[in-house]
Amino acid sequence: MRKQIAAANWKMNLTASQAQELAAALATGVTQVQPGQQVILGVPFPYLVLVQNKVAGNKNIFLSAQNCADKKNGAYTGETSAEMLHSISIPYVIIGHSERREYYHETHSQLATKVDLALAQDIQPIFCCGEPLHVRETNTQNVFVEKQLKESLFHLSDAQMKNFIIAYEPIWAIGTGKTASSDQAQEMHAHIRQVLASKYGNETAESVSILYGGSVKAANATEIFSKPDVDGGLVGGASLVATEFISIIESLKPGS
Ligand code: PEP
């Protein structure tokens, strides 16, 4: 059984009061979550506990950090460790978002370390992968994404890969209003699953939730999520508006 997931990525947006307002609207508005579906909010570090308090009464909403350090602890000013996230009961963390890869030069091996540190704290990574436009234009996206997966995830054990979460986010579709077609998403998601199956076998590959990210909104979510290997979405801009995000959640397929 793999989960169908609507995950929000609030990025570096909202003030504390706006974040609490949005969380409160979701806490009361998210009522249609079926068994096997899950809602995750990727919240900026300073608001994690504030938002946690706001959504505490809604058992379907889980919180995620948007990043964690690639060091366990110590003299790393400004960093936030997986251990710290665990200590405030955060169950998920986004790792390897393309904005972190591009603007903060995060490497495959740093991401592998972050994945390990998160798992060691019982925090499930939401591991992002996806190609830039020039790679798509040369039709080499499959090899590109395969390398991202192999270099940062293939050291994991079969047990660690079971029920893992991957988000495929073509960089050319993030925040641009351009969405991959549902067929393009399905093609890449099937490829990712096949790459996982080649290392971990079919049963494990089938247990992994593969989310699509890149300009998902209420108007296109049903079509994108309808594809068999698309297990929901990682949503940036549209997750900042409660009604939009609730509609996206209601577009999820039942858990399979
Ligand atoms: C994202 O950054 O994860 C994302 C998919 O953003 P948007 O939905 O705004 O394209």
Side-chain angles (χ1 to χ4, degrees), residues 2-230:
R2 67 174 180 257
K3 280 186 214 143
Q4 303 294 309
I5 298 170
N9 179 8
W10 291 358
K11 310 194 186 189
M12 195 174 75
N13 290 302
L14 309 174
T15 61
S17 59
Q18 289 168 335
Q20 289 178 97
E21 211 173 288
L22 177 54
L26 295 172
T28 53
V30 175
T31 54
Q32 304 295 314
V33 180
Q34 311 296 322
Q37 298 178 340
Q38 198 155 73
V39 177
I40 300 174
L41 306 181
V43 171
F45 289 133
Y47 308 152
L48 281 166
V49 174
L50 294 175
V51 170
Q52 198 174 40
N53 291 335
K54 286 285 173 199
V55 301
N58 189 321
K59 64 177 183 4
N60 295 308
I61 301 180
F62 296 82
L63 290 203
S64 174
Q66 298 173 12
N67 181 31
C68 68
D70 63 346
K71 303 286 190 296
K72 193 170 182 301
N73 54 29
Y76 300 102
T77 303
E79 290 293 305
T80 299
S81 69
E83 189 176 40
M84 290 172 177
L85 296 174
H86 175 80
S87 74
I88 55 166
S89 305
I90 300 302
Y92 295 98
V93 61
I94 297 170
I95 290 179
H97 191 281
S98 60
E99 289 153 12
R100 302 244 21 120
R101 292 176 188 262
E102 185 180 347
Y103 306 141
Y104 303 97
H105 312 293
E106 296 189 354
T107 64
H108 296 311
S109 80
Q110 277 175 312
L111 298 179
T113 303
K114 290 183 183 205
V115 166
D116 288 345
L117 289 168
L119 290 172
Q121 296 295 330
D122 287 326
I123 297 175
Q124 173 59 56
I126 300 170
F127 181 82
C128 301
C129 59
E131 79 286 355
L133 185 59
H134 69 92
V135 168
R136 174 62 66 164
E137 282 172 347
T138 52
N139 200 28
T140 52
Q141 63 273 8
N142 283 6
V143 182
F144 186 93
V145 168
E146 195 168 328
K147 186 173 164 69
Q148 290 179 319
L149 300 175
K150 286 187 170 165
E151 305 242 332
S152 299
L153 298 183
F154 268 29
H155 63 288
L156 297 179
S157 67
D158 188 57
Q160 288 173 316
M161 186 52 72
K162 272 240 160 68
N163 306 315
F164 206 83
I165 304 175
I166 291 174
Y168 168 60
E169 300 204 307
I171 298 170
W172 46 272
I174 296 180
T176 58
K178 265 189 215 159
T179 317
S181 70
S182 55
D183 287 338
Q184 283 174 318
Q186 168 58 26
E187 205 172 277
M188 178 58 86
H189 285 222
H191 175 64
I192 291 172
R193 211 177 295 288
Q194 182 256 311
V195 169
L196 296 175
S198 71
K199 165 88 175 158
Y200 295 99
N202 277 336
E203 197 188 325
T204 297
E206 287 294 328
S207 76
V208 174
S209 297
I210 307 177
L211 317 185
Y212 169 78
S215 300
V216 172
K217 44 187 189 278
N220 59 24
T222 305
E223 164 67 17
I224 297 171
F225 298 170
S226 71
K227 295 294 175 179
D229 285 292
V230 179

